[in-house]
Amino acid sequence: MLQDFRLVRHYQSLTDAAVDNWHRGYREHELRFLIDGYLLALRNDSSFEAHEIHRLEQEANRFLRDPANFELPEPEPEVTSRW
């Protein structure tokens, strides 16, 4: 689990971008490029320790492997009133 609030924000940005791109038609191997590029930028920024970025990478890859993260929510059935 990510503890640093800055890493959590990066995780949220990364996973939101992955889901957005998935719905635009990109697939898993392309999303991996997105994650790799994002992590490379963080490594070059030197704002985090290597172990923190590694943990972020693990969490992002776990997110990517879970198919439930990329499903569209089912619309709620419409309720009709008989009154």
Side-chain angles (χ1 to χ4, degrees):
M1 178 184 282
L2 299 173
Q3 299 296 326
D4 185 331
F5 74 93
R6 298 174 305 150
L7 282 173
V8 171
R9 286 184 183 169
H10 284 289
Y11 174 79
Q12 290 171 332
S13 295
L14 188 54
T15 56
D16 287 348
V19 171
D20 288 344
N21 283 306
W22 176 266
H23 292 302
R24 290 182 184 149
Y26 292 90
R27 293 300 166 237
E28 185 177 347
H29 68 280
E30 296 165 313
L31 298 179
R32 288 199 184 277
F33 286 135
L34 170 79
I35 290 172
D36 290 345
Y38 195 99
L39 294 171
L40 180 62
L42 284 179
R43 285 184 181 101
N44 288 332
D45 184 40
S46 302
S47 295
F48 298 101
E49 297 290 326
H51 68 90
E52 293 174 311
I53 295 174
H54 179 70
R55 185 68 182 142
L56 177 60
E57 182 177 19
Q58 288 177 327
E59 292 295 328
N61 284 329
R62 184 176 295 124
F63 179 87
L64 193 60
R65 286 190 306 266
D66 186 355
N69 292 322
F70 299 98
E71 295 175 356
L72 288 174
E74 293 290 327
E76 292 187 22
E78 191 173 312
V79 178
T80 56
S81 177
R82 293 187 176 200
W83 302 102

